[in-house]
Amino acid sequence: MVTKAENETLVRVGPGTDMGEYMRRYWHPVATSAQLPGPDCRPLRTKLLGERFVVFRDSAGKVGMLDELCMHRGASLALGRVEEGGITCLYHGWKFAVDGTILETPNHADCKYRERRKAPAYDVVERNGLIWAYIGPKEHKPPFRTFAADTVPPENRYVLRIDIKANYLQLWEGGLDSSHVSVLHTNQARTSWGIERGLPNDSSKWTPMDDPSPEFQVEDTPFGYHYAATRTLPPSRADDSQRNVRITPAIFPTGRIIRGPVSDFLVWETPSDDYSTSTYITVYSNNPVDKDWTLKTLGLNDTRFWREDDPEYKASWENNFFQDRSIMDQNWSGFKGIEQEDAAIGLSYGPIFDRSKENLVTADLAVVRVRRRLLQAAQLVKDGEAALGSQIADLTAVAAPDVDVPQGTDWRSVAPFHYEFTVAQAAE
Ligand code: FES
Ligand SMILES: [Fe+2]
């Protein structure tokens, strides 16, 4: 059970808050590479953990992130000119390089002034379609981390961003809550519901989600925790000597890997501020990613909801999330796609939910754990310890196995590699 005070601690991510200070000990994605398509392109305004930044790509193709408001007198640099190796503030022409070096101050000729100061600039890494930044204390900068999604060739990967006006925890909890999958995502996951209604059975590739009462187990790991949902096999594969084990890792501070039928999804729920979140999804596989299939499955092929060139998610209570109740005899939710469903639920609470009002049951095990582990992790940082899992540079072993095993098999034996990691030395 979460108290009102604990809920407040969990959801507030601005500077000086417990969760905000904890989250500032990690690298976070702040944009997709596609949002900055070429040298000197239009700069991006972005928000991370309640602070405003400008992200831009200079003439050499290098990405930088500065405080959005110009260090001179605070005009937004996002209006600025990006050219000849820097971004120039429109107001008085101060020009900055990606590392914050002051290149020009036309209204102040003293070059010593430029040499002595720097604009607030942040460490940025661009890797495999995502731009990551570190905004925490320099002395606590952790190593940059690598995930399984980084190990596949570029054509086997597709990166997308969805901006949703809800607190990050609502969305992260949804992603870690296996018990909703066979209900909310009935049309994709619960084959029997469709078969009863004579629907074409095109979801047969999904795992055995028809079991109405899976068993859930959870255990902490060096990167956060992982949990298993153990289910009986569906009627089409009925074999009572076997069970299906589906493991989901929660990679702190905001990540998870979800196994899909043809690709995996590495998802980050990056808090822009207390009330809005940028969801970054890297879809990856051993085969080339079918982008059209992915967008259709997520329901993001409908431009009323989302467009690739504009990450803001457009369905809200104002348009009833574009829910189509007329199809609900054949479609459980009235939505056509997993992200349409997840986003509608995440937004339906309002931007911040008071968790002290819930009535939790055993099936909510993984959701209870994410809160407890976050509170613990934030406390550890307050006590002067490293942030949970932040020092593990190589997380490529973290995966989301989904396998059938003989009944009675210890679920942990499906992912023994989730317990063995090498802690890297913190970078200076
Ligand atoms: S406010 Fe940016 S140059 Fe003056
Ligand atoms: Fe979901």
Side-chain angles (χ1 to χ4, degrees), residues 70-75 77 89-94 96 107:
C70 177
M71 66 178 285
H72 174 224
R73 276 179 41 217
L77 290 173
C89 180
L90 284 189
Y91 205 3
H92 312 93
W94 289 31
F96 310 100
N107 64 350

Side-chain angles (χ1 to χ4, degrees), residues 174 180-181 184-185 338 342:
H180 85 277
V181 177
L184 177 64
H185 306 312
I338 292 173
D342 284 333

Side-chain angles (χ1 to χ4, degrees), residues 218-238:
V218 59
E219 196 163 75
D220 290 347
T221 63
F223 54 81
Y225 70 88
H226 63 170
Y227 75 93
T230 301
R231 296 177 166 93
T232 56
L233 300 194
S236 58
R237 281 154 52 196

